[in-house]
Amino acid sequence: MSTRANDGSERRGGRAGQEGGTGGRPRRDGRPGAGGKNTSHGMGLTTDPGHDSLVDVPGGIRLQKVLAAAGVGSRRRCEELIGEGRVEVDGEIVRRYGARVDPDHQIIKVDGRRIPSRQDLVYLALNKPAGVLTTMSDDRGRPTISDFLGDRAERLFHVGRLDYDTEGLMLLTNDGELAHRLAHPRYGVAKTYLADVAAPLPRDLSRRLITGIELEDGVASADKFRVVEQAGSRALVEITLHEGRKHIVRRLLAEAGRPVSRLVRTRIGPVTLGNLRPGTTRALTTREIGELYAAVGL
């Protein structure tokens, strides 16, 4: 049924007519109303607020399925994130729940943070015990970090090294580009250590470490330094630095007059050792991986 308006044009009555005959009002979250899909007839393009120009990858995987597999959340939660405009593929915000993507070659981000979309990539944290070599094998039969990884099919890279006698957090992955950047001095990813040293501590120790101390291969300095505790002749200190030179923490503290008797790395960038037991591993969370990507510009 139609009525004639004062200007002589026809005006359709009813809700369907008001919405252009699509049979349903678009929902605020960008999904079609219950009455039907909001598409431009003959063009196959969405006309609801969720329209985007990303071209679907033939044979690709639905975006919400990729997000859920990466640990972002349930399939329903991932659909909500898409509808809220919080998901990007190759730099473009995508609002279509059915968008098909290639997780092996496209960069997918949630809230600006990249997610680990490739299913073949592994990201692990290891608490390396003292007396273990940072290598995958040793021709002299000494313990190596591979002894704690089980029978994994993937070829994993260790990110940087820890001295034979140093304990604590190591990252292992088969994501070669991420491993390379995390270890490269250019990106300056900060690392934090707990060191057991002799007490009492000089009053100017913090200032000297942060200002910089001359070593045989140049000046080295700490980003942060604090005393955790002092008891009798021993002190526990925390030192953060972004340098990656060999034995740098031990050399720096020794030059400051406080040789290290025990050293434990507790943090690499956003990843912390936490309560991970010595000789055990855990998978990094989606958030941790995204923050590592961000730290090195990936």
Side-chain angles (χ1 to χ4, degrees), residues 206-283:
S206 177
R207 179 190 61 78
R208 289 186 63 203
L209 290 170
I210 293 175
T211 301
I213 294 176
E214 184 74 39
L215 303 178
E216 66 272 16
D217 54 353
V219 176
S221 62
D223 298 329
K224 298 177 183 177
F225 177 83
R226 72 183 181 96
V227 179
V228 178
E229 62 181 31
Q230 290 192 73
S233 62
R234 305 308 303 172
L236 184 65
V237 300
E238 182 181 79
I239 183 169
T240 299
L241 67 170
H242 60 269
E243 293 232 27
R245 282 183 272 175
K246 190 174 182 179
H247 308 308
I248 189 64
V249 176
R250 292 180 183 274
R251 291 195 293 137
L252 188 58
L253 287 169
E255 191 64 27
R258 287 298 176 269
V260 174
S261 60
R262 185 186 179 196
L263 187 63
V264 180
R265 185 159 66 192
T266 59
R267 176 185 286 268
I268 300 174
V271 182
T272 61
L273 184 63
N275 58 4
L276 188 63
R277 292 182 292 107
T280 62
T281 63
R282 70 170 177 85

Side-chain angles (χ1 to χ4, degrees), residues 27-48:
R27 292 161 48 130
R28 292 181 64 188
D29 61 5
R31 302 166 73 186
K37 296 180 179 179
N38 296 298
T39 59
S40 293
H41 298 293
M43 297 181 65
L45 299 175
T46 59
T47 57
D48 61 70

Side-chain angles (χ1 to χ4, degrees), residues 144-187:
T144 70
I145 57 175
S146 64
D147 297 334
F148 306 103
L149 300 178
D151 297 325
R152 287 190 165 271
E154 308 92 355
R155 181 190 175 199
L156 299 178
F157 306 95
H158 50 80
V159 177
R161 308 181 72 85
L162 281 180
D163 303 337
Y164 182 75
D165 291 324
T166 300
E167 310 163 47
L169 180 63
M170 292 198 68
L171 301 181
L172 299 111
T173 181
N174 56 350
D175 187 334
E177 179 63 17
L178 178 63
H180 170 73
R181 292 198 181 199
L182 286 172
H184 199 289
R186 170 185 172 187
Y187 298 97

Side-chain angles (χ1 to χ4, degrees), residues 30-32 37 46 50 52 54-57 59-66 75 78-79 82-83 94-101:
R31 302 166 73 186
K37 296 180 179 179
T46 59
D52 60 73
L54 185 78
V55 177
D56 282 350
V57 174
I61 303 173
R62 290 183 181 273
L63 181 56
Q64 61 266 42
K65 184 176 180 180
V66 173
R75 190 80 64 88
C78 293
E79 289 180 348
I82 294 170
V94 179
R95 296 178 181 269
R96 286 175 291 127
Y97 305 125
R100 292 187 175 275
V101 299

Side-chain angles (χ1 to χ4, degrees), residues 119-155:
Q119 297 301 297
D120 62 324
L121 294 181
V122 175
Y123 305 85
L124 299 176
L126 164 69
N127 186 348
K128 185 187 94 65
V132 174
L133 292 172
T134 302
T135 183
M136 292 301 180
S137 63
D138 179 59
D139 54 11
R140 293 165 57 185
R142 292 172 294 180
T144 70
I145 57 175
S146 64
D147 297 334
F148 306 103
L149 300 178
D151 297 325
R152 287 190 165 271
E154 308 92 355
R155 181 190 175 199

